[in-house]
Amino acid sequence: MIIAVGIALGLIYPWAVRNFSGDAIGTWSVYENGRFKPVSVPLKADNGPVRMLVDLTTNADRINAFDRTVLTLTAAVGGRTVLAKTLHFSGNPTPREQSPQLTDKIFREEVGPFDVEKPGVYVFTIGPGDADNIQIKSVSLNLRAGAAVPDERGSQIGFGMIGVGIVGLMLAIRLGGPRRPNDPDMPPKPRWGRAGSSA
C-alpha cells in the first residue's frame, strides 16, 4: 500500500500535471516537407503560465542525445526573445506508437511553463540541433494555458514512501520466512520412542 501511494505521488502525479493540467490552446505542425516553419499564436495575460509540449515523430526506438541537441525552440514577442530552450528527448524512454501498423515512434519533450508578461502575438520557432542520424518524420507543438506546476514536495514524499515501502517489504520477507533447520533459536523437535519418553 505504501509503495502504491508513493508511486502515485512520485511518478503519476507529476506526469498527470505536466500532460493534462490547464486548457489546450492548440496544436500546430511545425515540420513539413523536410522544413521547419514558425508558428504565430496570440496570447493574453490570463493564458499564463503556458506550457509547451513538443512531439517528435521518428522511426528510432530510442534517442540517446543527452549531450547533443535534437531540436531548438525559441519564443518571441514584439521581436524580443522571451524563451530559448534546447530539446534532447532523452528523458522519454517509452515513446508512444503512432500506429500498430507503423514503426514510427512519438517522443515528447516538455518546455516551460512561462508567464505571459506581455500580451501579443508570440512567434514559436523550432529548428534542428546538432544531433546526427535522427530521421525526423514530423514535429508538432502543443500549447496549454493555465498549466499547473507539480509540487516538488509531493514528488519527494512519494519517492520517500517508495523507499520505505521497499525496505519494509524486504524486512517482512526476511523475517517472515521459514526458519532454517539449523537455526539455534528453533526449539528441538519432540523425540518419540523409548529414548525420548520420560515415562
Side-chain angles (χ1 to χ4, degrees), residues 84-151:
K85 292 289 184 179
T86 57
L87 311 181
H88 304 277
F89 297 94
S90 298
N92 187 0
T94 55
R96 309 192 312 271
E97 290 187 359
Q98 188 175 30
S99 169
Q101 291 77 27
L102 301 175
T103 59
D104 295 343
K105 301 292 189 302
I106 302 176
F107 294 83
R108 169 165 285 187
E109 181 95 345
E110 173 199 353
V111 183
F114 72 95
D115 292 323
V116 182
E117 298 179 357
K118 178 182 178 181
V121 177
Y122 282 69
V123 179
F124 298 89
T125 304
I126 294 180
D130 59 358
D132 300 326
N133 301 323
I134 297 179
Q135 297 183 4
I136 299 175
K137 298 293 188 67
S138 65
V139 179
S140 63
L141 174 66
N142 181 297
L143 300 182
R144 299 190 67 85
V149 179
D151 191 338

Side-chain angles (χ1 to χ4, degrees), residues 27-32 37 39 138-141:
T27 301
W28 295 265
S29 174
V30 298
Y31 183 82
E32 292 181 357
K37 62 177 184 178
V39 173
S138 65
V139 179
S140 63
L141 174 66

